[in-house]
């Protein structure tokens, strides 16, 4: 640990917070249909899309109609991507002659990108054609992220509107998110990455001869455009197998800093958007503060653990921090910060190998994923997941003071609390359920690289990442097997849609309620007391659900390391 490292972390968070405010306010105006500086250019294009698709932007949908439209659209995207991957060998833009994916791998990959998970049981540069990367994966990177934002807008309107029947129009929300937010930001970031040295071409791979006389194949392709949206959309699936640790994907310290900002930029800004759309920006900043407390605590633990190094190596005279699995050009501070940022968001991209993290540093990504990915979380999905915890928090507060819970003037009743707990608790059910099978069955254990508690953590990480729609992994694990392709795909579907349906049901219930004015007995939800309560609820409800599993994995591994034991 160094002062320079802490300073880099502080600068990152300060810049993130400074950018969140203007972007959040811009998005609020865009989603409310107000005129922005992009309207003269993009307004005609937006209206043209509606005419071609037969969409009336003035017609809104009930929560059930909104949810059905989302499910149909996502199902169509899944089947289209599955077909592209299965027919890859006969489709164009395949200069390396990549073969079609197997049925199980195509299923896992299609589910992964349709659910904004981007788990990859393959190496992109050795498995996918340019057509699959661009038309298949990059398209899903845009629309899966836009789906998350659209669903967030539905529940925001549930809080903002009173005695209404509709929560918006899914097709309009999808279009505006993609056209006004994701696409302009991706163009800017893509051009920046090209300037930094990321390839953006359609050339075949290049053979080079090394100084030792060996042959090396240098991959090419339309990488910058995919990397831009994979970071901004909290998708995370890399163009290359080693992801943002590859110099081609993340060439410089500056590109590393900007890509890390892109990971959390939209999730952070959506907190401000939420506050503006419910007509009280303080509410959004309170949620941002709660997220930030957990995020910064995890960063501090991770950097301290990595900076302290491994006592087993210290005993051999090798002092200093833990540099295994890290890029020297990024160092310990930026590697620790990225590992927390990418798992706080449901991004999953990596600039260092998480499998090489020290036990406590490796615990932080697992914990963040098991907290339902609500500490910033995915684009849209992180905030609507956090709103489930907000409902539980105000319910607890209401019990303590003996009055009906309220949030933003809406009474929080039994129906909303039940749906919130359903959305929260269904995730550990599937993580622990699949884990219990994989940790005892031969077909599950055969993929584990390491013995002992770290091997247990590898399995736990996979299902936490899949259900949390994150996509990162402990890299020593072999996931490309029928068991893990299928159960991993099911986990991603559960993590995405078993939370979405309760969220939409809550939106439908709230939008029909009247708004009650605040009174002297109303619990304020924009101050420090509420922030502390919300953090406590997230840690207790989310964290303690998994504590036995965490104790058997990273915590045992850490204690063994301190005792000088290896496995």
């Amino acid at each position: 640990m160094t002062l320079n490292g802490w300073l880099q972390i502080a600068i990152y968070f300060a810049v993130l917070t400074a950018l969140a405010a203007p972007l959040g306010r811009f998005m609020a105006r865009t989603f409310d249909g107000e005129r922005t500086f992009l309207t003269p250019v993009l307004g005609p294009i937006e209206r043209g899309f509606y005419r071609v698709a037969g969409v009336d932007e003035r017609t809104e949908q009930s929560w059930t109609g909104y949810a059905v439209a989302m499910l149909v659209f996502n199902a169509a995207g899944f089947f289209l991507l599955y077909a592209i991957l299965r027919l890859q060998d006969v489709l164009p833009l395949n200069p390396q002659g990549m073969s079609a994916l197997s049925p199980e791998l195509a299923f896992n990959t299609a589910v992964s990108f349709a659910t904004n998970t981007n788990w990859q049981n393959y190496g992109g540069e050795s498995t996918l054609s340019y057509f699959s990367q661009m038309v298949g994966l990059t398209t899903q990177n845009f629309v899966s992220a836009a789906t998350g934002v659209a669903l967030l807008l539905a529940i925001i309107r549930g809080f903002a509107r009173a005695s209404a029947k509709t929560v918006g129009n899914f097709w309009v929300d999808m279009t505006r998110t993609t056209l006004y937010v994701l696409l302009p930001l991706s163009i800017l970031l893509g051009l920046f990455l090209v300037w930094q040295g990321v390839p953006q071409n359609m050339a075949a791979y290049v053979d080079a001869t090394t100084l030792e006389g060996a042959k090396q194949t240098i991959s090419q392709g339309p990488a910058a455009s995919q990397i831009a949206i994979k970071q901004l959309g909290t998708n995370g699936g890399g163009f290359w197998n080693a992801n943002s640790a590859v110099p081609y994907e993340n060439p410089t310290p500056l590109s590393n800093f900007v890509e890390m900002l892109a990971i959390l930029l939209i999730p952070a800004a959506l907190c401000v958007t939420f506050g503006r759309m419910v007509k009280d920006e303080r509410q959004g900043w309170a949620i941002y503060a709660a997220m930030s407390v957990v995020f910064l605590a995890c960063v501090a633990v991770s950097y301290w653990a990595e900076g302290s190094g491994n006592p087993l190596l210290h005993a051999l005279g090798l002092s200093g921090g833990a540099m295994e699995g890290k890029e020297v050009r990024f160092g310990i501070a930026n590697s620790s910060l990225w590992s927390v940022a990418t798992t706080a968001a449901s991004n999953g991209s990596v600039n260092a190998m998480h499998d090489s993290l020290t036990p406590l540093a490796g615990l932080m990504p697992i914990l963040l994923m098991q907290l339902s990915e609500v500490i910033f979380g995915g684009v849209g999905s992180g905030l609507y997941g956090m709103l489930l915890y907000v409902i539980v928090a105000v319910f607890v507060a209401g019990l303590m003071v003996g009055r009906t819970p309220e949030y933003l003037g809406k009474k929080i009743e039994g129906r909303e609390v039940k749906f919130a707990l359903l959305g929260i608790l269904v995730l550990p059910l599937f993580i622990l359920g699949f884990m219990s099978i994989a940790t005892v069955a031969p077909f599950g254990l055969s993929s584990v690289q390491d013995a002992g508690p770290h091997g247990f953590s590898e399995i736990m990480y996979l299902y936490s990442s899949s259900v949390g729609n994150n996509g990162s992994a402990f890299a020593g694990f072999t996931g490309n097997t029928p068991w893990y392709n299928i159960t991993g795909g099911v986990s991603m579907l559960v993590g995405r849609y078993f939370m979405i349906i309760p969220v939409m049901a809550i939106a439908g219930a709230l939008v029909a309620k009247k708004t009650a004015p605040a009174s002297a007995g109303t619990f304020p939800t924009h101050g420090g007391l509420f922030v502390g309560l919300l953090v406590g609820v997230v840690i207790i409800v989310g964290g303690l659900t998994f504590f036995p599993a965490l104790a058997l994995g990273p915590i045992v591994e850490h204690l063994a390391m301190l005792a000088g034991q290896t496995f």
Side-chain angles (χ1 to χ4, degrees), residues 19-39 149 152-153 156-157 160-161 172-173 176-177 180-181 266 268-281 284-285 383:
L19 293 176
L23 179 59
R25 291 163 188 158
F26 166 79
M27 289 192 291
R29 294 185 63 195
T30 297
F31 300 142
D32 279 335
E34 299 178 16
R35 185 179 179 85
T36 69
F37 70 96
L38 291 178
T39 302
V149 175
L152 171 64
L153 295 177
I156 291 176
R157 294 184 185 115
R161 296 178 178 180
V172 172
D173 292 337
R176 287 177 178 167
T177 302
Y180 289 90
V181 180
I266 297 178
L270 283 171
C271 294
V272 180
T273 301
F274 169 75
R276 299 284 283 196
M277 292 184 72
V278 298
K279 311 305 180 187
D280 186 355
E281 193 171 313
W285 285 113
L383 184 50

Side-chain angles (χ1 to χ4, degrees), residues 329-346:
R329 69 188 191 279
F330 300 144
I332 293 175
N334 283 291
S335 300
S336 300
L337 178 58
W338 187 302
S339 72
V340 174
T342 194
T343 47
S346 65

